[in-house]
C-alpha cells in the first residue's frame, strides 16, 4: 500500500531550504529557459492552492501550499538579483512590507549576500518591494546605481517607472502571460509609453543607452544575465527588476523541496 501524501507546511518548506542550494536551483532553471533547453518538470502540478509533487526517487507524493512556494520563489529570485546586479560593495537595503514575505526576503538576502546591512530609511542601494499596502508608494529620489526589486506581481506607480533607467524581468518568456501589467504593455507596444523627443539621451550620455528611459523597452531577463555574464551595462543606472515567478524554476524548486523534506523525515501523518 503506497504511503499517504506528505502534506508540507510553510515552516516545513523553510526547514527543507537548509538542505538545498536554493540560489543554484533557481539560477540553473533560469539559464535553461534562456538557452531554450528547459523541459516540463515531470511529476509536478502547480495549482493555485496546492502544488502536487511526486518524488522521482521514492514515488512519494508531496502536497505543498502554493502561496508559500511562490513566496519562497520570489525571495530566491530577489536574492539572486542582488547577487548578480549590485556592485561588490556594502549592500544597504530598504524592504517595503511588514508581513511574512518581507521577513523572508530579508532572511534570504542576509544569508546569501556578503556585506549586507539592513537600512530602514534612505539612502539605500537596494529597495525590495515585498508587499504593497500603502495608498501611495513614495521612494523619494532614486540614487544612481540603485536596484529596485518588485516582488509584488502588481504594478508600481507610473511616476516611479518614469525614473528608472532599465527594466529587467526574471523570465522574458513570461511576458505573454503578464500583459495585464503596465510595463509589459508598454514594452510590447514598441515605444508604448509617454517618452517623446524631450526624453532622448543627450550626446554626452554616460554610457550605453538606457532602453527603458528612452524607449520603454525591457533590457533582458535574469536568465540571460546568468547565461552570458552580462551584469549591468552602467554602474550608475537605476535598474528595476520585475519578478513574475513562474514556469520551470517554480516546478523545479517544488521538486527539490519535496526531495529534501522526504530526506529529513518530515511527516505529519
Amino acid at each position: 500500500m503506497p504511503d499517504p501524501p506528505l502534506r508540507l507546511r510553510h515552516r516545513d518548506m523553510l526547514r527543507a531550504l537548509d538542505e538545498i542550494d536554493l540560489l543554484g536551483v533557481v539560477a540553473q532553471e533560469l539559464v535553461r529557459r534562456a538557452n531554450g533547453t528547459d523541459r516540463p518538470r515531470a511529476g509536478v502540478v502547480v495549482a493555485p492552492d496546492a502544488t502536487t509533487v511526486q518524488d522521482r526517487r521514492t514515488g512519494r507524493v508531496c502536497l505543498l501550499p502554493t502561496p508559500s512556494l511562490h513566496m519562497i520563489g520570489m525571495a530566491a529570485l530577489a536574492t539572486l538579483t542582488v547577487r548578480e546586479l549590485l556592485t561588490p560593495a556594502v549592500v544597504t537595503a530598504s524592504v517595503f512590507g511588514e508581513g511574512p514575505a518581507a521577513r523572508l526576503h530579508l532572511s534570504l538576502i542576509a544569508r546569501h549576500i556578503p556585506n549586507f546591512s539592513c537600512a530602514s530609511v534612505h539612502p539605500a542601494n537596494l529597495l525590495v518591494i515585498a508587499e504593497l499596502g500603502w495608498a501611495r508608494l513614495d521612494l523619494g529620489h532614486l540614487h544612481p546605481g540603485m536596484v529596485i526589486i518588485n516582488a509584488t506581481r502588481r504594478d508600481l506607480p507610473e511616476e516611479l517607472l518614469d525614473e528608472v533607467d532599465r527594466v529587467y524581468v526574471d523570465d522574458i518568456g513570461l511576458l505573454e502571460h503578464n500583459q495585464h501589467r503596465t510595463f509589459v504593455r508598454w514594452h510590447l507596444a514598441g515605444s508604448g509609453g509617454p517618452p517623446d523627443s524631450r526624453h532622448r539621451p543627450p550626446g554626452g550620455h554616460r554610457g550605453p543607452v538606457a532602453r527603458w528611459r528612452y524607449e520603454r523597452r525591457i533590457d533582458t531577463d535574469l536568465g540571460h544575465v546568468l547565461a552570458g555574464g552580462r551584469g549591468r551595462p552602467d554602474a550608475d543606472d537605476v535598474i528595476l527588476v520585475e519578478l513574475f515567478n513562474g514556469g520551470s524554476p517554480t516546478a523545479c524548486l517544488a521538486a527539490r523541496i519535496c526531495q529534501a523534506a522526504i530526506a529529513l523525515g518530515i511527516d505529519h501523518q
Side-chain angles (χ1 to χ4, degrees), residues 99 106 174 183 236 240 246 264:
L106 274 176
L174 296 176
F183 79 96
D236 287 338
L240 169 64
L264 286 169

Side-chain angles (χ1 to χ4, degrees), residues 181-201:
R181 301 290 303 280
T182 298
F183 79 96
V184 174
R185 291 199 304 270
W186 288 359
H187 169 84
L188 294 177
S191 60
D196 56 30
S197 60
R198 293 172 298 171
H199 295 83
R200 297 302 299 174

Side-chain angles (χ1 to χ4, degrees), residues 163-174:
E163 294 299 316
V164 304
D165 294 299
R166 300 182 183 275
V167 173
Y168 291 8
V169 294
D170 54 331
D171 183 351
I172 209 156
L174 296 176

Side-chain angles (χ1 to χ4, degrees), residues 60-85:
R60 186 81 186 269
V61 173
C62 296
L63 297 177
L64 293 69
T66 301
S68 293
L69 179 63
H70 283 309
M71 187 186 302
I72 292 170
M74 281 291 192
L77 287 167
T79 305
L80 193 61
T81 297
V82 177
R83 190 184 74 181
E84 296 300 320
L85 294 182

Side-chain angles (χ1 to χ4, degrees), residues 22-39 77 80 83-84 169-173 220-230 246-250 252:
L22 176 61
L23 299 192
V25 170
V26 175
Q28 185 179 55
E29 291 303 306
L30 288 174
V31 170
R32 286 177 177 171
R33 288 277 292 172
N35 291 334
T37 58
D38 67 317
R39 302 184 302 274
L77 287 167
L80 193 61
R83 190 184 74 181
E84 296 300 320
V169 294
D170 54 331
D171 183 351
I172 209 156
T220 188
D221 62 16
L222 293 180
H224 286 88
V225 169
L226 292 161
R230 294 175 59 178
S248 56
T250 300
C252 186

